[in-house]
Amino acid sequence: MICSFFIAPSLQAKEHPSLILTKQGVKDIRANLGKLPVFDNAVKQVQAQVDAEIALGIDTPIPKDYSGGYTHERHKLNFVMAQKAGTLYQILQDEKYAKYVKDMLFQYEAMYLDLPVHPKPRSYARGKIFWQCLNDSNWLVYMAQAYDTIYDYLTAAERKTLEDNLFRPFADFISTGNPQFFNRIHNHSTWGNAAVGMIALVMDDDELLERALYGLDDDGIEFGTKDDDGGFLKVEGQKAGFLANLEDPFSPSGYFTEGPYYQRYAMYPFLVFALGMENSRPDVGVLQHKDDVLIKGVYALLNLSDKKGEFFALNDGQKGMSLMAKELVTAVNTAYYYGDQDPTLLSIAADQGTVLLDQSGLAVAKAIEAGKAKPYVKPSVNYGDGPNGDQGGVAVVRYGDSDLELVFKYSAQGLSHGHYDKLSYSLFEGGDEVAQDYGLSRFVNIEKKGGGNYLPENASWAKQTIAHNTVTQNETSHFGGDYATGSQHHSDLYFYESNNDAVQVVSATEVNAYPGTKLHRTMAVIKDEGFEKPFLLDIVRIDGSKRNQYDLPFYFNGQVLETTFDYEQPEKLAALGDKNGYQHLWVEGVSKPLKSDSWQFTWINEAKYYTLTSSADKADQVMFTRIGANDPLFNLRRDAGIMIRRDKSKDTTFASVIEPHGAYSPVTELSLNANSSINALDVLQSDDDYTAVKITTVDDRSIVFILANSDASTSKKHKLKAGGKTYKWKGAYYLGS
Amino acid sequence: MICSFFIAPSLQAKEHPSLILTKQGVKDIRANLGKLPVFDNAVKQVQAQVDAEIALGIDTPIPKDYSGGYTHERHKLNFVMAQKAGTLYQILQDEKYAKYVKDMLFQYEAMYLDLPVHPKPRSYARGKIFWQCLNDSNWLVYMAQAYDTIYDYLTAAERKTLEDNLFRPFADFISTGNPQFFNRIHNHSTWGNAAVGMIALVMDDDELLERALYGLDDDGIEFGTKDDDGGFLKVEGQKAGFLANLEDPFSPSGYFTEGPYYQRYAMYPFLVFALGMENSRPDVGVLQHKDDVLIKGVYALLNLSDKKGEFFALNDGQKGMSLMAKELVTAVNTAYYYGDQDPTLLSIAADQGTVLLDQSGLAVAKAIEAGKAKPYVKPSVNYGDGPNGDQGGVAVVRYGDSDLELVFKYSAQGLSHGHYDKLSYSLFEGGDEVAQDYGLSRFVNIEKKGGGNYLPENASWAKQTIAHNTVTQNETSHFGGDYATGSQHHSDLYFYESNNDAVQVVSATEVNAYPGTKLHRTMAVIKDEGFEKPFLLDIVRIDGSKRNQYDLPFYFNGQVLETTFDYEQPEKLAALGDKNGYQHLWVEGVSKPLKSDSWQFTWINEAKYYTLTSSADKADQVMFTRIGANDPLFNLRRDAGIMIRRDKSKDTTFASVIEPHGAYSPVTELSLNANSSINALDVLQSDDDYTAVKITTVDDRSIVFILANSDASTSKKHKLKAGGKTYKWKGAYYLGS
Ligand SMILES: [Ca+2]
Ligand SMILES: [Ca+2]
Ligand SMILES: [Ca+2]
Ligand SMILES: [Mg+2]
Ligand SMILES: [Mg+2]
Ligand SMILES: [Mg+2]
Ligand SMILES: [Mg+2]
């Protein structure tokens, strides 16, 4: 087995608890009980939950249901409650909690060996307690902690019974019994690896620990096999095990290739097993692995949320998931205690209103009580994607304290949960969506919607290019919507600059999404003193090799107020196309030929005004769309979009400004600054060398932005004559009058 | 002039200020400065606003714009600021504030006499400063207060100049100059009357005061003339003036016939002039008029808001208007100080976070500071409509602390802002809309939407019957959508009972909306112990004289989860009809013939689950609709509905249950109680004597509700055999198993 030399048998006799909660941690916690409101409240809350469950009695029903069904939800609650009860036993030293855990474990012990695989067939790796090994692994991650906390409460004989009949066969089932689950580079495997590793630490079983850290030697899986979500089980050169899973999906700066929604989910097993290792086997250095990537990952996760703390819905992300999630309590407490005691993390912990019931939670509670919390102000960030951070990335450009937030995605595919959304973006004002990413088409744990699982519309709509604020060529998604092709490529950063408060720029290119076509998108967040708020300048230069149709949609929320162009509402609504997501778009309005060089669209959302100003080609068609065609089960939200269609074009440039302005109050009924400050937007020039655009304001000032298209160096000097004026500057771009 | 005997000249020499703020009030306020945070903050806020305006300088531009345009908004800000500055002058005794008011008044004085009527032609009563006399009246209501506060600061000569060249001609213009505006029974006239009355009090002008209180003797207006909103200017037997306006729109219990949105707007002139009278001429008893109806009106207004404090959108109401509105600060402060010092009003004042800068605001601030505030828990209420409270009404049935709120409207037409919505309802859970009333189609003060005025869709959609959760017969609105006809009628209460926590019932009939057809709707909010939450049982019995088509829509928000019936999505969306609001509905789904006796529809909104269970006729068609057809300018929200169509029916009964249940959290991803507790809903019997419905629960219990259709007395004994069982009870209804 490769790398196994890292695992030398541990030298000292194991004490318990030692996995997450430590013996010293328990001592310190008990010494502080009654002194720290945040901690005491957390204990009280957990106690109320566990006491209610104890009163209800233990139920370990024969497994039967998918997510949302009774047996699924009951078993899920069991492991959560067992972990909590074990913690309470340590903190309060009340044996009723230990007995509850023990009784539950023995009920599982009594049934486990005889259990067949779960009767529901949907998963590529069916569990025993649950319909998928993933959930069985969740069970073991929690139960390992529960077991650790009552280890000393049990007799040696009881421990042997549990280990022989439950924990070891359980660990074997999700690993050697399901190599297609255990040996992947995937969040599923991370859970599997962590589960096996954690029970290994409690049982002091080095063989299982090696298996957890380095995977199975020979899994017998064919390259190219796919799971039920269409993700690859194995690709050439793939390592396995916890460390490989830690290596691969995280970039050096802590960006997780599947995006923040899955990172949030994945962080828990990463962190909890790393902490277990830190407490029991610090010699292996799992928590410090890859230059502290796990702690960096916590910060990345925080920074990938909007002003309200909700995660950006990159790839398959369910909207609404936020920094309030319990995984983030673990993440923030851990990063504080095992990291550098960063006081800005304490403000997030204070918002969360609860802490972990272990030494890290104690430290956070103490620091909050001591008034050490400082505000966490999210910075503009640019995260590279891929194990080495060089496979494109995601930039979040912020103005002020997250008052305006641009999320620009020029990353790699993002594994099986990735979308075909190269160079797409979303935009937020104060945490409200201005330009939305649809997110996923799934209602997690809502059984009435496809059992809570991914809906067909996730593939037919949510993943498709046209579902995103980016360019679709010839009504076909990037890479032809082919996952294998998409997985081989990523976009490339052209440059990123965020040092200047008045202008921050991110620019990236994509040459593989449509072979023969180069997409180059540049987004600048500009705060001009003539404007009330910062605005977003969006330039998409397309360098094609033949004449194509380019569609650039913009998905907004709220109410249309005004357009400067004429359009008609069709008498009957028809779908825009019949495949690649187009089949899901109703066309609610179609423009007449555009009369001017630029056009505007103003709308209101969440009591704030917005204007989209866009440069026009005479042949452009502007359409209002609404999601919902070919969706008889209402699996999709009926959200609005406006789309520019530019047909029969080879080389062309789309330039737009998204301009937040003003506000309306339904209480005072005051309408402030309802009008755009922009009069016109023109592309002065756009070729392989330079793209120059000019914004003319309503007070007749010019704002000129020029991009050097072939050299992004900061030292290069440029000179360009455009619009009858000569511009000279140094670096990748010019901004001036 | 009738009633003029009430107005004897006042005996003592007038002191100033005395209109709203009194001399004694000023003394008390000054003695408490720096002691009451709420009051001091209110002073600081006003000071900041006024100081900023003073720094900016006074501008009184030549009138030019509609609402939202510069001159309109500037003049509006002027009168608001002048009133505030005058108050500050009194409270802080800093002459810069008096000078600001004086300078502004003299700028108006310099222009007023030469001003033509406003150039914008849309109003039936054009103002001079603004496009309608209504806004000019607003100006005078505020400026009268401003003038009062600096009265003693001015010389007698200055006062004479202002009165001769500005205030008196201004009062004449909006009264004798515009009788069609001044002499109506309408909120416009209330403003006009109050404006004239308030300047009369400051100027001590009894002739103007009589005009304000009793209107113009001879207005020369023809009966039946209409304003630009379609409202009548004058009907037979109509009185005029402030007291008549106070008499007519308020029921004895304080319900305002136009609904809470307009009541909120109208309350300010009612209250502010009543207070002026109370301070200067308590002998007339305006504040006590009609058995304290103004104070009762404040409570009615509070009770016509949802849990979040937002007003129910009855008739033309803009959603989002709430108890936070400045008019409600006036209302609550006034009702506290001039009423019974009700401590529950203080909790609303505390939420408002500000108080009036007068003796009533001082009293509220003192009481809050003294910890006297108690929670305001809104009760179930049943308000009669009409001057005598016998023209139908509006019932609000609440369960818990506004956890579930049913708003049932069986009122009169509600003047020109009324909708054709007999026996319609809306439903709220915790302030979130479960069954929505569309509200108005207007974006108040948003100039980009029809100048901020009523949009054509207000008449073509928002007022139409099909826009409401009630029955439309033969695709025609109630009263044929004819205002004159609708104004002659009202629905009638059958009974209302809210004493029992387990069941509250309101029942009403409507015989005029469709001649020959009697509609009888009964709504029961039931809390059964087998259900997690209370549910709404809705029974619509129709007694027709010929075979008709009956449509019963239900407008919901949120995401469709599941239906028990099959339906198809049309390949292209077409409008449901071509008039009476039907032209605005897209049909998104049409059911196949219903297979069972009852059907269900489950959806999720604001993270809470709901199920609609409805008894079916085999011929019923169920449709999913969406607003937006024939609406090229996106004046309407794209909201969803589900509609039962029962064609070729004469006597028939619709029975439905709206059942809130469970919850979902996008943060924990926990789904709780996502399933209805109901298995079936059947109409056992429905005729002129009795309607009996049976709910069968999923645990196979029966809940039977029987309504006696021809006798609502509480003492009458009934006996009925239905569904093979004999029921005996006393009173209008039976609820049992
Ligand atoms: Ca080219
Ligand atoms: Ca009959
Ligand atoms: Ca009949
Ligand atoms: Mg996406
Ligand atoms: Mg590349
Ligand atoms: Mg309405
Ligand atoms: Mg009647």
Side-chain angles (χ1 to χ4, degrees), chain A residues 447-459:
Chain A
E447 205 176 14
K448 287 179 188 296
K449 278 297 196 198
N453 295 294
Y454 281 98
L455 294 164
E457 289 77 11
N458 198 59

PDB file of all heavy atoms in Angstrom, chain A residues 447-459:
ATOM      1  N   GLU A 447     -39.892  15.190  -0.119  1.00  0.00           N
ATOM      2  CA  GLU A 447     -40.182  13.926  -0.790  1.00  0.00           C
ATOM      3  C   GLU A 447     -41.159  14.080  -1.949  1.00  0.00           C
ATOM      4  O   GLU A 447     -41.092  13.356  -2.936  1.00  0.00           O
ATOM      5  CB  GLU A 447     -40.699  12.902   0.223  1.00  0.00           C
ATOM      6  CG  GLU A 447     -40.431  11.474  -0.234  1.00  0.00           C
ATOM      7  CD  GLU A 447     -40.851  10.443   0.803  1.00  0.00           C
ATOM      8  OE1 GLU A 447     -41.576  10.801   1.754  1.00  0.00           O
ATOM      9  OE2 GLU A 447     -40.452   9.269   0.643  1.00  0.00           O
ATOM     10  N   LYS A 448     -42.055  15.050  -1.829  1.00  0.00           N
ATOM     11  CA  LYS A 448     -43.060  15.224  -2.872  1.00  0.00           C
ATOM     12  C   LYS A 448     -42.451  15.679  -4.198  1.00  0.00           C
ATOM     13  O   LYS A 448     -43.110  15.631  -5.231  1.00  0.00           O
ATOM     14  CB  LYS A 448     -44.112  16.249  -2.432  1.00  0.00           C
ATOM     15  CG  LYS A 448     -45.064  15.723  -1.374  1.00  0.00           C
ATOM     16  CD  LYS A 448     -46.066  16.799  -0.960  1.00  0.00           C
ATOM     17  CE  LYS A 448     -46.892  16.369   0.236  1.00  0.00           C
ATOM     18  NZ  LYS A 448     -47.747  15.201  -0.046  1.00  0.00           N
ATOM     19  N   LYS A 449     -41.234  16.147  -4.174  1.00  0.00           N
ATOM     20  CA  LYS A 449     -40.566  16.544  -5.412  1.00  0.00           C
ATOM     21  C   LYS A 449     -39.502  15.502  -5.728  1.00  0.00           C
ATOM     22  O   LYS A 449     -38.344  15.601  -5.281  1.00  0.00           O
ATOM     23  CB  LYS A 449     -39.900  17.925  -5.241  1.00  0.00           C
ATOM     24  CG  LYS A 449     -40.852  19.098  -5.422  1.00  0.00           C
ATOM     25  CD  LYS A 449     -41.422  19.154  -6.833  1.00  0.00           C
ATOM     26  CE  LYS A 449     -42.047  20.492  -7.162  1.00  0.00           C
ATOM     27  NZ  LYS A 449     -42.939  20.404  -8.324  1.00  0.00           N
ATOM     28  N   GLY A 450     -39.912  14.478  -6.454  1.00  0.00           N
ATOM     29  CA  GLY A 450     -38.965  13.448  -6.879  1.00  0.00           C
ATOM     30  C   GLY A 450     -38.201  12.821  -5.736  1.00  0.00           C
ATOM     31  O   GLY A 450     -37.014  12.519  -5.865  1.00  0.00           O
ATOM     32  N   GLY A 451     -38.888  12.631  -4.609  1.00  0.00           N
ATOM     33  CA  GLY A 451     -38.235  11.982  -3.470  1.00  0.00           C
ATOM     34  C   GLY A 451     -37.147  12.831  -2.837  1.00  0.00           C
ATOM     35  O   GLY A 451     -36.327  12.351  -2.072  1.00  0.00           O
ATOM     36  N   GLY A 452     -37.137  14.114  -3.158  1.00  0.00           N
ATOM     37  CA  GLY A 452     -36.106  14.992  -2.598  1.00  0.00           C
ATOM     38  C   GLY A 452     -34.805  14.935  -3.374  1.00  0.00           C
ATOM     39  O   GLY A 452     -33.818  15.568  -2.993  1.00  0.00           O
ATOM     40  N   ASN A 453     -34.804  14.190  -4.454  1.00  0.00           N
ATOM     41  CA  ASN A 453     -33.575  14.020  -5.232  1.00  0.00           C
ATOM     42  C   ASN A 453     -33.525  14.971  -6.418  1.00  0.00           C
ATOM     43  O   ASN A 453     -34.472  15.716  -6.673  1.00  0.00           O
ATOM     44  CB  ASN A 453     -33.481  12.562  -5.709  1.00  0.00           C
ATOM     45  CG  ASN A 453     -33.331  11.633  -4.523  1.00  0.00           C
ATOM     46  OD1 ASN A 453     -32.327  11.664  -3.821  1.00  0.00           O
ATOM     47  ND2 ASN A 453     -34.359  10.837  -4.278  1.00  0.00           N
ATOM     48  N   TYR A 454     -32.431  14.916  -7.148  1.00  0.00           N
ATOM     49  CA  TYR A 454     -32.314  15.755  -8.337  1.00  0.00           C
ATOM     50  C   TYR A 454     -33.472  15.481  -9.284  1.00  0.00           C
ATOM     51  O   TYR A 454     -33.834  14.333  -9.530  1.00  0.00           O
ATOM     52  CB  TYR A 454     -30.972  15.514  -9.036  1.00  0.00           C
ATOM     53  CG  TYR A 454     -29.855  16.253  -8.335  1.00  0.00           C
ATOM     54  CD1 TYR A 454     -29.034  15.596  -7.433  1.00  0.00           C
ATOM     55  CD2 TYR A 454     -29.666  17.616  -8.544  1.00  0.00           C
ATOM     56  CE1 TYR A 454     -28.023  16.288  -6.757  1.00  0.00           C
ATOM     57  CE2 TYR A 454     -28.675  18.308  -7.876  1.00  0.00           C
ATOM     58  CZ  TYR A 454     -27.857  17.645  -6.992  1.00  0.00           C
ATOM     59  OH  TYR A 454     -26.878  18.343  -6.326  1.00  0.00           O
ATOM     60  N   LEU A 455     -34.026  16.561  -9.807  1.00  0.00           N
ATOM     61  CA  LEU A 455     -35.141  16.443 -10.744  1.00  0.00           C
ATOM     62  C   LEU A 455     -34.592  16.395 -12.168  1.00  0.00           C
ATOM     63  O   LEU A 455     -33.470  16.862 -12.423  1.00  0.00           O
ATOM     64  CB  LEU A 455     -36.065  17.649 -10.562  1.00  0.00           C
ATOM     65  CG  LEU A 455     -36.751  17.669  -9.185  1.00  0.00           C
ATOM     66  CD1 LEU A 455     -37.348  19.036  -8.875  1.00  0.00           C
ATOM     67  CD2 LEU A 455     -37.837  16.594  -9.122  1.00  0.00           C
ATOM     68  N   PRO A 456     -35.375  15.874 -13.084  1.00  0.00           N
ATOM     69  CA  PRO A 456     -34.894  15.815 -14.481  1.00  0.00           C
ATOM     70  C   PRO A 456     -34.504  17.197 -15.000  1.00  0.00           C
ATOM     71  O   PRO A 456     -33.602  17.321 -15.832  1.00  0.00           O
ATOM     72  CB  PRO A 456     -36.104  15.270 -15.251  1.00  0.00           C
ATOM     73  CG  PRO A 456     -36.965  14.605 -14.237  1.00  0.00           C
ATOM     74  CD  PRO A 456     -36.715  15.276 -12.927  1.00  0.00           C
ATOM     75  N   GLU A 457     -35.170  18.221 -14.492  1.00  0.00           N
ATOM     76  CA  GLU A 457     -34.895  19.585 -14.960  1.00  0.00           C
ATOM     77  C   GLU A 457     -33.530  20.094 -14.500  1.00  0.00           C
ATOM     78  O   GLU A 457     -33.083  21.141 -14.955  1.00  0.00           O
ATOM     79  CB  GLU A 457     -36.009  20.537 -14.501  1.00  0.00           C
ATOM     80  CG  GLU A 457     -37.339  20.341 -15.222  1.00  0.00           C
ATOM     81  CD  GLU A 457     -38.120  19.123 -14.741  1.00  0.00           C
ATOM     82  OE1 GLU A 457     -37.737  18.534 -13.694  1.00  0.00           O
ATOM     83  OE2 GLU A 457     -39.095  18.728 -15.411  1.00  0.00           O
ATOM     84  N   ASN A 458     -32.885  19.367 -13.591  1.00  0.00           N
ATOM     85  CA  ASN A 458     -31.533  19.796 -13.233  1.00  0.00           C
ATOM     86  C   ASN A 458     -30.614  19.641 -14.435  1.00  0.00           C
ATOM     87  O   ASN A 458     -29.797  20.514 -14.727  1.00  0.00           O
ATOM     88  CB  ASN A 458     -30.989  18.998 -12.046  1.00  0.00           C
ATOM     89  CG  ASN A 458     -29.822  19.698 -11.392  1.00  0.00           C
ATOM     90  OD1 ASN A 458     -29.943  20.827 -10.937  1.00  0.00           O
ATOM     91  ND2 ASN A 458     -28.657  19.045 -11.393  1.00  0.00           N
ATOM     92  N   ALA A 459     -30.788  18.521 -15.115  1.00  0.00           N
ATOM     93  CA  ALA A 459     -29.982  18.294 -16.328  1.00  0.00           C
ATOM     94  C   ALA A 459     -30.543  19.082 -17.507  1.00  0.00           C
ATOM     95  O   ALA A 459     -29.792  19.691 -18.272  1.00  0.00           O
ATOM     96  CB  ALA A 459     -29.933  16.810 -16.655  1.00  0.00           C
TER      97      ALA A 459
END
